[in-house]
Amino acid sequence: VVIFMLYLSDRLIGRHLMTISRTLSKYNEQDKPEIIDLKRQNFDDNDEIDLLVDSINNMQQRIYFERNKAINELKQKEEIQSQIATQKESLLKLEHKVSMSEIVRSLANELNAPLINIKTFSKLSLEQMQEHSFEPKRLELSVDKIIESSCHALDIVNRTTEIMKRSEPKRISININPLIARATLLLSQELKHASITVKHHADEQSIAVFVDELQIEQVLMNVLRNSIEALGSFNISNKLIEISAITSNEKLIISIEDNGPGLSEVIIDKVFTPFFSTKEKGLGVGLSIAQTLITSNQGCISIYRNNKQGACFNIELPLEK
């Protein structure tokens, strides 16, 4: 009886368990699963052995399906990341190209005034030399103006070249009010052409900040030029830009505000976005560059509508400790 029971156990259970064991021992999740078939034709109803086999087969199929799904998702993710990296590289190249265009445009605008002065005084000097009543003193004044304008043009070129070469800010202690005055002077011809008055409120004569001088000067010029362009298309008689520099909570706050047309809330949220411009021929990178330079000097820049319905830029920079 015992031997017969052992035979039945081996016949009905043992050999099937061995078949399952041999199949599973060959199982590799990378290969297509091998379906376990016990070939139990003599049984009409599924018993525990059949249920076990069905569970194992389903588990193998599910593992194979989930693995392939994960592999496909990983491949798609890698392809998307590769596309994103390619797009980022293209955008960086485009931004660099447009930034260079903005720098060239800015350089051309700044050089325009001293070059016109050089041309004007050179022509005047030539006329004076051809006059019968030649006055050396008048010629000397004209030559002085030519030299002054030449030096101004050379300073502009050197400053632009230095900005383009720098990757990291060279922070030093500077007095901000003379820097504001110099940025205003560099834009004097554009201000004069647009009939704009600038009021620089320098209540504190000496405010030392720890920043890159050239980069902050470029920021001031970009923001001032933005106000000049806004006022240039605005039909009012008393065009005004007011600049103030005050200290608060160990920070310097520079406010540049105008009485121009101002900006809507929608535009205010986008002014620092690269390539966004409200001007027909604007490149839309001047304020974006300004924000990048301010951030690299551990500061921040913001804009809001002032009580004159114009625009006000606030630039915050760390004071020298």
Side-chain angles (χ1 to χ4, degrees), residues 188-200:
S188 58
Q189 291 297 323
E190 294 180 43
L191 291 164
K192 183 179 179 181
H193 183 264
S195 301
I196 299 173
T197 302
V198 175
K199 289 185 179 179
H200 178 195

Side-chain angles (χ1 to χ4, degrees), residues 74-199:
L74 183 60
K75 287 181 179 179
Q76 290 177 358
K77 186 177 180 181
E78 289 176 350
E79 289 176 359
I80 292 172
Q81 287 178 341
S82 176
Q83 291 174 1
I84 291 173
T86 304
Q87 289 175 352
K88 279 185 176 180
E89 185 178 353
S90 300
L91 283 174
L92 285 173
K93 289 180 179 178
L94 177 61
E95 185 173 357
H96 177 71
K97 183 178 179 180
V98 176
S99 298
M100 292 296 292
S101 299
E102 176 69 13
I103 291 173
V104 170
R105 185 176 76 92
S106 174
L107 180 61
N109 286 336
E110 293 175 40
L111 285 175
N112 191 51
L115 291 178
I116 288 176
N117 286 340
I118 292 172
K119 178 182 177 181
T120 301
F121 286 107
S122 297
K123 186 177 179 181
L124 182 61
S125 299
L126 183 60
E127 290 174 353
Q128 290 173 354
M129 292 172 64
Q130 293 174 345
E131 290 178 358
H132 296 293
S133 57
F134 177 71
E135 296 182 17
K137 188 65 176 177
R138 288 179 59 194
L139 181 61
E140 184 180 338
L141 291 174
S142 296
V143 173
D144 286 341
K145 287 292 184 181
I146 293 173
I147 294 172
E148 181 184 335
S149 297
S150 301
C151 292
H152 185 189
L154 187 60
D155 287 341
I156 292 171
V157 173
N158 290 338
R159 177 175 55 80
T160 305
T161 304
E162 186 65 22
I163 289 174
M164 292 173 67
K165 287 195 301 185
R166 293 190 185 186
S167 57
E168 294 295 329
K170 296 180 180 179
R171 302 172 68 197
I172 58 172
S173 175
I174 63 167
N175 186 2
I176 195 64
N177 279 314
L179 189 63
I180 293 173
R182 190 166 71 202
T184 306
L185 179 63
L186 289 170
L187 295 172
S188 58
Q189 291 297 323
E190 294 180 43
L191 291 164
K192 183 179 179 181
H193 183 264
S195 301
I196 299 173
T197 302
V198 175
K199 289 185 179 179

Side-chain angles (χ1 to χ4, degrees), residues 14-26:
R15 67 191 184 94
H16 298 311
L17 292 178
M18 288 299 295
T19 301
I20 295 171
S21 177
R22 284 194 301 271
T23 305
L24 290 179
S25 65
K26 300 175 184 177

Side-chain angles (χ1 to χ4, degrees), residues 22 28 30 51 61 80 195 228 233-234 265 274 292 314:
R22 284 194 301 271
N28 188 339
Q30 297 179 1
L51 293 175
Q61 290 284 357
I80 292 172
S195 301
I228 292 170
S233 59
F234 197 44
E265 293 298 328
T292 301
N314 270 0

Side-chain angles (χ1 to χ4, degrees), residues 7 31 48 54 62 65-66 85 94 112 163 180 182 194-195 200 223 229 237 250 262 267 280 293 302 305:
Y7 170 76
D31 300 329
E48 287 78 3
D54 289 341
R62 186 62 183 269
F65 172 77
E66 292 295 337
L94 177 61
N112 191 51
I163 289 174
I180 293 173
R182 190 166 71 202
S195 301
H200 178 195
V223 174
E229 291 173 349
S237 56
E250 297 186 351
I267 293 177
E280 184 178 350
L293 295 178
S302 58
R305 290 177 66 92

